[in-house]
Amino acid sequence: MPLFSSNKFSPKKIPQRKANSFSRQKLVEEEGESRLDIGNVKLNIGEQQFVFEDGEWTPESGVVGDKHKENQRLLQRIKQLESEKNLLQLKTEVLLDMLTETTAEAHIQDKEITRLRHELTKATL
């Protein structure tokens, strides 16, 4: 009986893997590179649903999701109010410049009127 005639040391056949059944799974080729695109990853925890987008988990629904949407709405309102504030500050600066110019012109005209009155009183004397 030979020493190594047994099949104990020969490797066993590996069974074939089952095909993946991801419906959103696609092979995307960009600039000569192949990568796997599985779409948006969603996670349900209790009544809350989160979506993985742009490398970040964002709440989509549930209590946290509603607060997130409210926060987004408030942030948008803040941006709108800041742009209105900037516009009003610009208008205020323009009005102050106009007021300064008008005041300077009125001061010059007052000096001219005073000078002309002084000359008129000299001429009549």
Side-chain angles (χ1 to χ4, degrees):
M1 204 153 96
L3 185 62
F4 295 107
S5 66
S6 166
N7 285 339
K8 288 182 181 179
F9 297 105
S10 62
K12 295 181 181 178
K13 263 194 166 182
I14 299 172
Q16 278 189 329
R17 295 177 63 176
K18 295 179 183 176
N20 287 338
S21 62
F22 290 114
S23 60
R24 292 191 217 169
Q25 195 170 10
K26 299 177 193 173
L27 186 61
V28 180
E29 292 186 24
E30 291 180 3
E31 299 174 10
E33 290 185 18
S34 296
R35 67 179 178 87
L36 194 60
D37 184 18
I38 58 172
N40 291 338
V41 179
K42 294 184 179 184
L43 175 67
N44 291 325
I45 301 176
E47 295 178 6
Q48 300 170 0
Q49 184 174 20
F50 296 89
V51 179
F52 191 74
E53 294 175 329
D54 300 325
E56 192 174 301
W57 286 102
T58 55
E60 188 174 68
S61 67
V63 177
V64 176
D66 293 340
K67 287 181 182 176
H68 180 70
K69 289 177 185 175
E70 179 69 14
N71 286 344
Q72 293 289 55
R73 188 185 65 76
L74 289 174
L75 287 173
Q76 192 173 19
R77 180 73 175 143
I78 287 171
K79 286 180 183 178
Q80 178 187 4
L81 291 173
E82 284 177 348
S83 65
E84 282 183 33
K85 181 189 82 165
N86 290 338
L87 179 64
L88 290 173
Q89 284 178 338
L90 180 64
K91 286 182 177 182
T92 303
E93 288 178 18
V94 169
L95 286 173
L96 284 174
D97 288 346
M98 291 170 63
L99 179 64
T100 303
E101 184 180 346
T102 304
T103 304
E105 286 177 3
H107 185 66
I108 291 171
Q109 288 176 353
D110 280 345
K111 279 187 176 180
E112 182 69 19
I113 289 172
T114 306
R115 186 185 64 78
L116 288 174
R117 280 188 184 154
H118 183 66
E119 284 183 12
L120 186 62
T121 55
K122 272 188 181 178
T124 56
L125 291 175

